[in-house]
């Protein structure tokens, strides 16, 4: 390995370590809290959730496959917690119109650059801008229920906003979400697995 490559490798390793330290600090007190300002601070680092990893790319592809299989191509799709737009790029392939929503202005700015074919809003699911465009053919919330202070209220709000709904969350570690999500009327669930990672995908129709 030449000196420049070795130097870059060490530098990247240092950056990854720094990001891990920052995430441990930034995530304190964030789960199930609605602390939107702290979530915005997390995006001082780019790709803080490692959405460009092979595991996440696999999950994106599997969710797209599930959407097509269960709902077909949809007209309008609301993505709650779109982050920097990594999954938005994939979701845009299965809908005619994608509306991404996130509480972080930093994340939304990056999502607009990453996925210019989508429309992106800063705010939460109770904002008037979201109301003005509802109902959506599909509302999806991937990996975001952990950061909502009242999950049942959020799930009811999703049902109001979308004709169809889909959520994903980690299985096992976050299994405390199962009683709240799987108790909804008419839900169907399926596991998505990649190496040692397991997610639960849950979907239901609002009508």
């Amino acid at each position: 390995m030449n000196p420049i490559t070795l130097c870059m490798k060490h530098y990247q390793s240092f950056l990854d370590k720094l990001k891990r330290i920052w995430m441990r600090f930034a995530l304190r007190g964030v789960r199930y809290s609605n602390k939107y300002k702290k979530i915005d601070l997390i995006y001082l680092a780019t790709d803080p959730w490692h959405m460009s990893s092979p595991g996440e790319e696999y999950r994106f592809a599997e969710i797209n496959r599930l959407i097509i299989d269960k709902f077909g191509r949809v007209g309008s799709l609301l993505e709650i917690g779109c982050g920097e737009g990594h999954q938005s790029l994939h979701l845009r392939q299965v809908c005619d119109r994608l509306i991404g929503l996130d509480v972080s202005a930093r994340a939304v700015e990056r999502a607009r650059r990453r996925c210019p074919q989508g429309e992106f809003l800063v705010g939460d699911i109770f904002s008037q801008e979201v109301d003005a465009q509802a109902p959506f053919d599909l509302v999806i919330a991937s990996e975001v229920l952990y950061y909502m202070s009242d999950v049942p209220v959020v799930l009811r709000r999703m049902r109001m906003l979308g004709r169809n709904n889909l959520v994903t969350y980690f299985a096992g570690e976050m299994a405390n979400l199962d009683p709240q999500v799987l108790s909804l009327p008419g839900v169907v669930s399926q596991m998505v697995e990649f190496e040692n990672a397991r997610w639960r995908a849950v979907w239901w129709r609002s009508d």
Side-chain angles (χ1 to χ4, degrees):
M1 186 179 295
N2 66 58
I4 294 178
T5 302
L6 184 61
C7 181
M8 291 301 295
K9 184 176 180 180
H10 285 308
Y11 180 64
Q12 186 59 52
S13 177
F14 169 75
L15 290 180
D16 291 342
K17 183 177 181 180
L18 198 62
K19 184 182 288 188
R20 287 195 297 271
I21 294 172
W22 168 248
M23 287 296 287
R24 282 199 297 270
F25 167 77
L27 282 172
R28 287 177 183 170
V30 171
R31 290 203 169 155
Y32 304 110
S33 68
N34 279 13
K35 292 185 178 178
Y36 297 156
K37 289 183 179 179
K38 289 201 72 173
I39 291 176
D40 190 46
L41 282 177
I42 288 170
Y43 286 99
L44 286 172
T46 56
D47 194 12
W49 312 107
H50 303 287
M51 290 295 176
S52 55
S53 68
E56 294 295 347
E57 288 288 328
Y58 177 83
R59 178 174 66 83
F60 299 156
E62 283 298 289
I63 295 306
N64 269 23
R65 182 192 59 76
L66 191 154
I67 289 172
I68 290 298
D69 183 48
K70 306 302 178 183
F71 309 112
R73 183 178 179 86
V74 297
S76 58
L77 188 155
L78 174 66
E79 180 190 8
I80 300 170
C82 63
E84 298 169 308
H86 291 86
Q87 186 166 10
S88 309
L89 277 175
H90 293 257
L91 294 174
R92 186 63 186 86
Q93 301 169 17
V94 297
C95 66
D96 298 329
R97 183 182 177 220
L98 171 71
I99 301 92
L101 178 71
D102 203 281
V103 297
S104 169
R106 290 184 178 92
V108 166
E109 182 181 350
R110 293 171 193 161
R112 287 169 176 158
R113 292 197 300 267
R114 177 169 282 110
C115 184
Q117 305 91 346
E119 305 167 39
F120 295 93
L121 305 172
V122 179
D124 62 24
I125 59 172
F126 298 96
S127 68
Q128 292 182 350
E129 286 183 281
V130 174
D131 273 330
Q133 301 187 53
F136 302 91
D137 293 316
L138 177 64
V139 176
I140 179 171
S142 286
E143 314 310 304
V144 296
L145 292 181
Y146 326 118
Y147 308 105
M148 309 290 192
S149 64
D150 195 329
V151 172
V153 167
V154 170
L155 295 173
R156 287 197 296 271
R157 176 66 169 165
M158 289 180 64
R159 186 179 288 271
M160 291 173 59
L161 292 173
R163 298 182 179 92
N164 302 286
N165 300 267
L166 187 151
V167 299
T168 72
Y169 52 91
F170 279 114
E173 178 191 357
M174 296 296 175
N176 57 326
L177 283 171
D178 281 351
Q180 302 177 77
V181 178
L182 299 182
S183 62
L184 293 171
V187 299
V188 184
S189 75
Q190 176 178 314
M191 301 304 291
V192 176
E193 301 185 26
F194 180 85
E195 295 180 351
N196 295 324
R198 300 174 73 241
W199 299 270
R200 186 182 294 281
V202 184
W203 63 94
W204 65 93
R205 300 183 187 276
S206 296
D207 47 20

